[in-house]
Amino acid sequence: MIGKQIKGTGFRGCLNYVLGKKDAALIGGTMCGQTPEELAAEFAIARQLRPNLKVAVFHATLSVDSTEKLEDSEENDQRWLAIAANYMKAMEFDNNQYAVVKHSDTEHDHIHIVANRICLDGGVVDDSWDYYKSQETIRQLERNYNLETVTPSWETDKRAQTTGEHRQLKSKGNKSVRVQLQDLIDEVTQDNPSMPEFVERLQQQGVEVQVGLTRTGFSKGISYNLDGVALSGTQLGKAYTFSGLQKHRGVSYDQGRDNALIEALMQPQHLAIAPSEAEANELESSQSELETTAPATPAIANELESSQSELAATAPATPATANELELQLSILPERNETQWQKVRSHLAVEYSLPLELLNLLHSHSWLYAGSEKAIFTARTLDGEARFAFVLDERGNFSTTHPLSSEAAFWVATTGEIERAVIACNPIEALSILLIEQENNPDNCATPPPTIYLGIELASQLPIEFLQELDSVIIAIAEDSHLARNALALLPDAELVNPQSSWNDIWIQLIEQEQQTHKQNNQQYKQHTQNLELD
């Protein structure tokens, strides 16, 4: 079963959509209304309990495999109502208004659930990270109702043949270039080669391979060209992207070991020619020397000392020259180191950002003081500074340069990046990182290696890089227009829109922790006094 969730602000528009489809049928829920107008009016009554809550609409879609539709429509409706009730209870909507609408306009039997996040007692259902909660609930429902697990389209291992490709193969016996590439890649990856070996084998089969690697170790993607037809890994399927080759086809990749070899293979004079063993050893040795000279990255904070809390893959693989640094800083506001301590204290007090994290960002020049304001640098995945986010005393951000594409404020955790979280500014991006680390102090349910980005326009997103990742979360709490634009560029991304800013949530966590610590200290003192009296 596949499940999707979307949050919104208007019930009427959502209801018009789900009930306006051909063959749409309202089959149940917890409400009395039967039309979009009646249901919207009913939702509005409960909404008065929280008039300041903007994002009150929860819209979920649940879909089963086409073979699992029951013959008896009434029995099918009852099954769907039971599934919807169990799903909503697990998602903590057990005291809320919701309507269940069944659609029959596709081969997959599916329902839409439109719900009010405002509870009937005036509370609000927390929607932080509900994607993961939904996935766990769906897996449980599959077990409870003996349903087939349906792989979402964005997780498909291999893109299926199109109708035209299938017809061409049947009538002429010719495989399309896309199918030929899929077959070739499947063949050359049977023995789990390294990434350079994989590239070289395809070159020997007449396939031109282009791998985009940044100086910071990120993959910009992989593309293939056969017989003059160029296709990206994404166009072939999830298993044929740079990260997909490693996860689904067993291709091994190590940045220090492989990058120099891959770059050598990309040179025209080396196409389809493997480097000699001596050359390979020399390249590997030089790369190892670079690794040993790279400074170790400290932990974000003392209380967050787990390995995933270390920021990594964020400094250029090779140190920037003095001229390069001077060029980068010339397009940014002037530094004023005499004001750094004041700016750092303001960020720590006002936004509860740990001093260790601020010092780390400052050491890389990703954060510094300009006059009395905090300057966050926006850079490409290659590490090139393009402009700056300037934080004023009122907590508002402004930019210093026309916003260019593929440049944003970003930090990343250790490991080969599998996931991205997109926020609306640097403070929000850092707050999400800290929230995730705080929620996993013992490495329980640790998020995969993640890059956290702060953007002001969707055009700043490195789309090709993000399309390679397993998971992209648009966590924009303040600007729904920005969220919509980002979602249009990344339609498979998950949208998370909390009722307050991520920094507010982070501050609340810190305050709760401090209150708990204070209570524990008071209890300890009381216990000690009782012992002394005894």
Side-chain angles (χ1 to χ4, degrees):
M1 185 164 64
I2 297 174
K4 295 182 180 181
Q5 315 87 47
I6 300 173
K7 271 74 70 177
T9 58
F11 285 103
R12 182 63 180 273
C14 182
L15 292 165
N16 283 339
Y17 167 75
V18 299
L19 286 169
K21 284 277 190 175
K22 183 181 178 181
D23 296 329
L26 178 64
I27 62 173
T30 62
M31 306 178 71
C32 300
Q34 297 295 311
T35 66
E37 295 82 1
E38 293 172 350
L39 290 169
E42 201 170 336
F43 276 125
I45 296 173
R47 195 164 193 172
Q48 293 176 6
L49 298 172
R50 286 294 185 104
N52 294 326
L53 180 65
K54 294 181 179 179
V55 184
V57 181
F58 176 83
H59 176 196
T61 305
L62 302 178
S63 174
V64 296
D65 188 81
S66 58
T67 61
E68 295 183 314
K69 184 174 181 178
L70 300 183
E71 294 296 331
D72 188 306
S73 60
E74 184 177 348
E75 184 181 349
N76 190 34
D77 289 353
Q78 292 304 312
R79 179 188 68 161
W80 269 124
L81 286 175
I83 290 174
N86 283 296
Y87 177 82
M88 296 303 283
K89 183 176 181 180
M91 296 295 288
E92 300 180 11
F93 282 83
D94 48 358
N95 189 27
N96 298 69
Q97 300 167 309
Y98 70 85
V100 183
V101 179
K102 188 177 74 171
H103 282 183
S104 304
D105 57 336
T106 68
E107 63 177 4
H108 292 277
D109 203 13
H110 67 282
I111 60 170
H112 293 258
I113 306 173
V114 181
N116 196 338
R117 290 184 54 228
I118 301 172
C119 305
L120 296 177
D121 60 4
V124 178
V125 176
D126 182 12
D127 63 351
S128 299
W129 312 119
D130 59 356
Y131 170 79
Y132 301 101
K133 188 190 300 182
S134 177
Q135 291 304 303
E136 292 176 1
T137 301
I138 286 171
R139 299 289 86 83
Q140 186 60 51
L141 288 172
E142 288 170 347
R143 292 188 290 269
N144 293 347
Y145 290 90
N146 195 28
L147 297 171
E148 191 74 23
T149 298
V150 181
T151 304
S153 60
W154 58 88
E155 293 179 1
T156 301
D157 184 82
K158 176 189 288 189
R159 289 285 177 89
Q161 293 186 49
T162 64
T163 302
E165 289 172 333
H166 183 74
R167 188 182 301 116
Q168 179 182 348
L169 178 62
K170 187 174 181 180
S171 61
K172 300 181 180 180
N174 298 330
K175 292 182 180 179
S176 69
V177 171
R178 188 157 66 95
V179 175
Q180 290 180 57
L181 283 170
Q182 289 173 335
D183 290 347
L184 278 173
I185 293 171
D186 291 346
E187 181 180 344
V188 302
T189 55
Q190 290 182 3
D191 60 345
N192 302 331
S194 67
M195 192 64 73
E197 289 173 336
F198 166 75
V199 172
E200 182 187 8
R201 290 176 183 181
L202 284 181
Q203 289 176 340
Q204 292 172 348
Q205 295 292 330
V207 179
E208 182 182 342
V209 185
Q210 289 296 325
V211 180
L213 296 172
T214 71
R215 289 186 301 163
T216 50
F218 292 126
S219 161
K220 286 186 175 179
I222 187 168
S223 62
Y224 313 90
N225 190 316
L226 177 62
D227 296 334
V229 179
L231 294 169
S232 68
T234 304
Q235 289 174 306
L236 298 183
K238 195 74 172 178
Y240 304 94
T241 64
F242 191 81
S243 60
L245 288 167
Q246 299 167 62
K247 295 171 185 174
H248 303 290
R249 290 295 179 268
V251 177
S252 65
Y253 169 68
D254 179 85
Q255 176 185 342
R257 179 195 68 191
D258 296 337
N259 278 10
L261 293 172
I262 292 172
E263 290 176 4
L265 288 168
M266 293 299 100
Q267 300 302 316
Q269 65 270 28
H270 294 299
L271 290 179
I273 301 176
S276 65
E277 183 177 352
E279 290 172 329
N281 290 337
E282 182 179 351
L283 288 169
E284 187 171 348
S285 175
S286 64
Q287 194 67 23
S288 298
E289 290 177 8
L290 287 176
E291 280 189 322
T292 58
T293 59
T297 308
I300 291 176
N302 292 334
E303 67 271 15
L304 305 175
E305 292 181 349
S306 57
S307 61
Q308 81 276 9
S309 67
E310 297 180 358
L311 300 181
T314 50
T318 56
T321 65
N323 289 337
E324 286 175 336
L325 286 174
E326 185 177 350
L327 177 62
Q328 289 188 17
L329 293 177
S330 67
I331 62 176
L332 301 176
E334 185 177 353
R335 302 172 68 103
N336 187 341
E337 287 300 319
T338 62
Q339 295 294 322
W340 167 241
Q341 295 299 328
K342 182 177 179 180
V343 168
R344 187 185 71 154
S345 297
H346 174 72
L347 293 172
V349 173
E350 188 70 22
Y351 302 100
S352 292
L353 298 178
L355 293 176
E356 291 85 352
L357 174 59
L358 298 175
N359 289 336
L360 178 61
L361 298 177
H362 183 253
S363 69
H364 289 298
S365 296
W366 303 333
L367 167 64
Y368 63 91
S371 181
E372 296 182 0
K373 297 179 180 179
I375 310 296
F376 294 84
T377 60
R379 62 199 192 283
T380 65
L381 295 180
D382 279 317
E384 298 176 0
R386 294 286 179 85
F387 60 91
F389 291 91
V390 181
L391 179 65
D392 65 23
E393 59 278 1
R394 296 185 301 274
N396 298 319
F397 277 96
S398 60
T399 57
T400 60
H401 194 270
L403 297 176
S404 55
S405 62
E406 298 190 358
F409 173 83
W410 58 267
V411 292
T413 54
T414 55
E416 180 70 20
I417 299 301
E418 302 175 12
R419 173 175 173 262
V421 178
I422 302 165
C424 62
N425 61 55
I427 295 290
E428 289 287 272
L430 294 174
S431 297
I432 297 173
L433 182 151
L434 293 167
I435 290 169
E436 293 202 318
Q437 302 298 346
E438 180 70 14
N439 287 339
N440 297 285
D442 300 317
N443 292 332
C444 298
T446 302
T450 301
I451 181 170
Y452 301 85
L453 301 101
I455 65 171
E456 187 150 292
L457 289 180
S459 61
Q460 295 169 249
L461 294 171
I463 299 300
E464 188 174 353
F465 165 72
L466 295 174
Q467 288 174 337
E468 291 267 343
L469 303 181
D470 284 350
S471 174
V472 177
I473 297 172
I474 300 172
I476 297 175
E478 299 174 355
D479 190 344
S480 59
H481 181 69
L482 177 58
R484 286 195 298 271
N485 288 342
L487 194 59
L489 294 173
L490 299 163
D492 291 335
E494 174 69 15
L495 182 62
V496 176
N497 193 355
Q499 63 191 60
S500 60
S501 76
W502 293 107
N503 188 248
D504 288 343
I505 295 173
W506 167 242
I507 292 173
Q508 290 170 11
L509 286 174
I510 294 297
E511 290 174 348
Q512 291 171 5
E513 182 178 338
Q514 292 173 344
Q515 184 63 29
T516 301
H517 183 69
K518 182 179 180 180
Q519 291 175 351
N520 290 338
N521 283 341
Q522 290 175 343
Q523 292 175 358
Y524 175 76
K525 289 180 180 179
Q526 185 63 46
H527 179 67
T528 303
Q529 291 174 355
N530 292 338
L531 288 175
E532 291 175 353
L533 291 174
D534 292 342

